[in-house]
Amino acid sequence: MSLLVVGLSHRSAPVSVLERASLAVETQAKLLQDTLAAEPATEAAVLATCNRIELYADVDKFHAGVAELSTLLAQHSGVGLEELTPYLYVHYEDRAVHHLFSVACGLDSMVVGEGQILGQIKDALARGQELHTAGRLLNDLFQQALRVGKRAHSETGIDRAGQSLVTFGLQQLAAGADPERWADGKRALVIGAGSMSSLAAATLARTGVADIVVANRTRSRADRLVEILQQGDDTSVRARAVEMSAVGDELTRADIVVSCTGSTGLVLTADALADALGVTLDAAPERPAVTVTPAPADVDQHAAWVENGSAASTQAGRATALRRVTVPAQSTGPVRLALLDLAMPRDIDGAAHRIDGVRLVDIESLAEASADAPMAADVDRVRTIVSDEVAAFGAAQRAAHVAPTVVALRTMAAGVVAGEIARLDGRLPDLDEKQRAEITQTVRRVVDKLLHAPTVRVKQLASEPGGAGYADALRELFDLDPQTVAAVSRADLNDPNRGRS
């Protein structure tokens, strides 16, 4: 196993860089194909969310792999390599496994414990399978990450350590008030109908808003989301769908706006928001910015915040200095319009903070607020689960490495038995079928017993750290044809049922 991950996230890069580096779905597909075409990589998968972009690959050379994956990320993100490099982190082999498992459990999320990342990991795996860039290693890795994440949520109280970005965002909009009382009776506009927007709409409905309007570029998806909302037994929310062209009119009636689209440009400009509120943006006073120093949510996991918003490349996950963030001051007057921007790149103009009566919460402000969020004791239990699962995954991968050699050895032994039985038939042609069957079974039992102990033991030894060499020793001792072993491996990789759940 030579697993390598190169990426950047909200822990290593400022939102401005993450916005520019975000990858559209079609760009992700091209990145995967180009990674597989690169010499060091034999498998590839990309995990791209609103706050992280990570490229996973099975490589045969570490340094060449890091250089190639970094270059590919820069090329496809549109951010120059020289500018992107300070924000990249690198994990290799067991540390790469540990990183993904931590991500799957929500330990590396803006809001610790949020579960949305599991769906995003599942999507990343499905994309790799669809494009045939995820082979045995990445199929096993991502499938196991999903199981580890589900285990963490079912066996611990990690869900209590944090909420989804939607829930946390609504708490920030409520500014200390009870979210349900704050949202009761309000009118909400949800822009977008993807997974995050759907979650936002469902959360708003449960929180107690009276009306939800869904706007989406594809009207049928907005209609479907409205249908789902109205079928819910636990809410009495009124919901309807509109075209994107109606957003301007709906803004004049909304109390809450949640936006999460795949747009590469702004969906709501400051001018549009000012028009909806009947104010002039130019007359809005420029409020002084506030400088804060957020504490890292988990400084153990990997290097995160560093001075002046840049992050050093890291393999060891060492702690580094904190970065200082300049945050626009929010309006202190009554809130007429509460905005929650969950998109990356952002959907809502950051200049909206200049409009009196507007409160804006976006990905960057969520990161700053969640940095000081309390960590539940269950987080330690999840870390233990991750460590145990990393060890188990490594052992399983090392054992799997020797399996084709064991299969090739048994295939060779079966061939020897078949050859000897054929030779016996020539020397003793008068044997009846019963005698021949008994002799054949006896020879097979002898061979199986002779091979049982060494094959079982080599699997045990191979599962231990440094045990990969036992497969080579077995091939050398029994003079196994490397092509036969490779053929077994290829047959395993081409199994259509492998890596599917």
Side-chain angles (χ1 to χ4, degrees), residues 200-225:
T203 303
L204 285 166
R206 289 194 301 271
T207 302
V209 298
D211 298 274
I212 295 178
V213 176
V214 180
N216 192 59
R217 285 186 173 83
T218 305
R219 176 61 184 266
S220 60
R221 296 191 66 181
D223 289 333
R224 175 57 181 158
L225 177 52

Side-chain angles (χ1 to χ4, degrees), residues 41-75:
T42 57
E43 300 182 33
V46 61
L47 178 58
T49 73
C50 61
N51 53 35
R52 77 177 63 249
I53 303 166
E54 296 177 344
L55 182 56
Y56 291 77
D58 184 7
V59 299
D60 55 7
K61 298 174 184 176
F62 171 73
H63 293 291
V66 171
E68 189 66 38
L69 266 59
S70 300
T71 300
L72 288 168
L73 275 175
Q75 289 175 349

Side-chain angles (χ1 to χ4, degrees), residues 251 254-257 273 276-277 334-339 357-360:
L251 280 174
D255 302 302
I256 305 169
V257 177
L273 292 166
L277 293 175
V335 176
R336 297 171 55 192
L337 186 60
L339 307 173
V358 169
R359 179 170 179 79
L360 171 62

